[in-house]
Amino acid sequence: MPERTAVRPLRVCALYPDLMNIYADRGNLIVLQRRCAWRGIGFELAASGLREELDGDAYDLLYIGGGQDRDQRLCAQDLIDTKRAGLRAAAARGAVVLGVCGGYQLLGHSYTLDAQEIPGVALLDVRTVREPGPRLIGNVAIEVQLQDAPGQSPAWADAQAEDGFKGAAPGGGRYVLAGFENHGGRTYLGAGQQPLGRVLRGHGNDGRSGAEGARAGNVIGTYLHGPLLPKNVWFADWLIARALHVRASELAVLDDALERQTHMSACHAAGV
Ligand code: GLN
């Protein structure tokens, strides 16, 4: 076991964990919990469901998973009514906000479905539209550039370089995220909105643009299920570090042999 790390506990809040949890997205929370525990970092998990106000000061990381259209409709209005102010306050003070698929869509301006515009919390400058056409389904791999990470985990940079991912040389700041997508909505980025990454394989935001997800500082949206974090534990570490305002290199290095295989196999499934 690595030595205990003297950082404060990670305070996490899962939004609508019962309704927005398609593809067992709660696996993302379990990864965060385990990786903190293995390092001796405290982990506090709270949930915020329908009709519950959200305290904008209480959490370091807020998570909203994927959902069916029906459940998304239920949550969208509640998000505006009871959580928008708290979410915006949390984002403004640098908390990590991570939305996956349906959760990602709700972090944008709107999700247009059956001619009805369901409003989102507008933390990301994106709009999602359910257009005619097939659902965008399949394994997906994207390249993300995390140059602004003050201390990208050197162990994982080395691992990815060794595993032969192009451009993943240590210090290059480019990493591969792999997962699985299944969405009917097509997401369009506003003019100045940065995507989370560039599609290597799969559909991404809209099946055409080559962009996947969106990122504004510590607010991140992505279509990658998998769940996302078990397949990409280096990204879990990056999020933990961002949420705790420490460098990723300050986190104790874990034995990630199995996790690396998991990442490799997710990448191979996507064809990279
Ligand atoms: N209901 C949304 C869509 O189909 C999101 C789906 C999901 O979270 N997997 O676009």
Side-chain angles (χ1 to χ4, degrees):
M1 273 292 113
E3 284 174 35
R4 289 184 69 83
T5 314
V7 287
R8 61 187 175 77
L10 182 71
R11 302 165 307 160
V12 175
C13 183
L15 307 187
Y16 313 108
D18 300 333
L19 294 167
M20 301 293 285
N21 179 30
I22 207 171
Y23 289 107
D25 285 324
R26 67 177 176 272
N28 291 327
L29 299 169
I30 295 170
V31 166
L32 293 172
Q33 188 270 331
R34 294 285 199 280
R35 294 186 77 76
C36 284
W38 288 334
R39 296 181 164 112
I41 299 172
F43 183 86
E44 296 164 9
L45 178 62
S48 186
L50 291 174
R51 292 176 294 282
E52 288 172 344
E53 297 282 333
L54 184 71
D55 178 352
D57 287 326
Y59 306 107
D60 308 302
L61 190 152
L62 298 109
Y63 175 74
I64 179 163
Q68 309 278 2
D69 288 343
R70 185 193 55 221
D71 294 328
Q72 251 177 278
R73 274 187 215 269
L74 272 177
C75 295
Q77 191 57 48
D78 184 80
L79 201 58
I80 304 264
D81 293 343
T82 67
K83 299 178 187 38
R84 176 167 55 184
L87 257 184
R88 295 186 82 92
R93 61 173 180 75
V96 168
V97 181
L98 173 64
V100 172
C101 202
Y104 165 34
Q105 295 169 344
L106 294 182
L107 293 182
H109 294 291
S110 57
Y111 179 29
T112 305
L113 186 62
D114 303 332
Q116 186 200 355
E117 194 174 274
I118 301 167
V121 290
L123 282 175
L124 295 170
D125 184 13
V126 306
R127 291 177 194 280
T128 302
V129 184
R130 186 68 179 267
E131 294 163 356
R135 295 183 68 81
L136 305 179
I137 304 176
N139 290 298
V140 52
I142 67 172
E143 181 188 75
V144 296
Q145 189 125 21
L146 300 175
Q147 222 89 38
D148 62 332
Q152 298 145 21
S153 169
W156 267 90
D158 290 346
Q160 294 203 40
E162 274 170 36
D163 291 342
F165 294 113
K166 263 211 178 106
R174 293 200 291 271
Y175 296 81
V176 178
L177 274 178
F180 183 82
E181 60 185 326
N182 182 353
H183 49 109
R186 271 76 168 155
T187 297
Y188 299 99
L189 306 183
Q193 176 63 61
Q194 185 193 345
L196 173 62
R198 181 175 73 82
V199 174
L200 299 173
R201 292 281 193 283
H203 302 288
N205 280 338
D206 59 12
R208 291 186 295 265
S209 63
E212 203 294 314
R215 176 174 169 216
N218 282 355
V219 180
I220 292 163
T222 178
Y223 275 114
L224 270 63
H225 292 283
L228 170 72
L229 300 183
K231 290 186 173 178
N232 304 278
V233 293
W234 66 268
F235 191 59
D237 284 355
W238 186 77
L239 294 172
I240 291 170
R242 300 282 299 190
L244 291 175
H245 303 293
V246 299
R247 292 169 182 269
S249 57
E250 286 174 52
L251 299 178
V253 174
L254 301 176
D255 174 2
D256 279 331
L258 273 177
E259 288 79 355
R260 225 171 118 176
Q261 282 177 32
T262 305
H263 183 249
M264 285 287 280
S265 102
C267 289
H268 289 159
V272 296

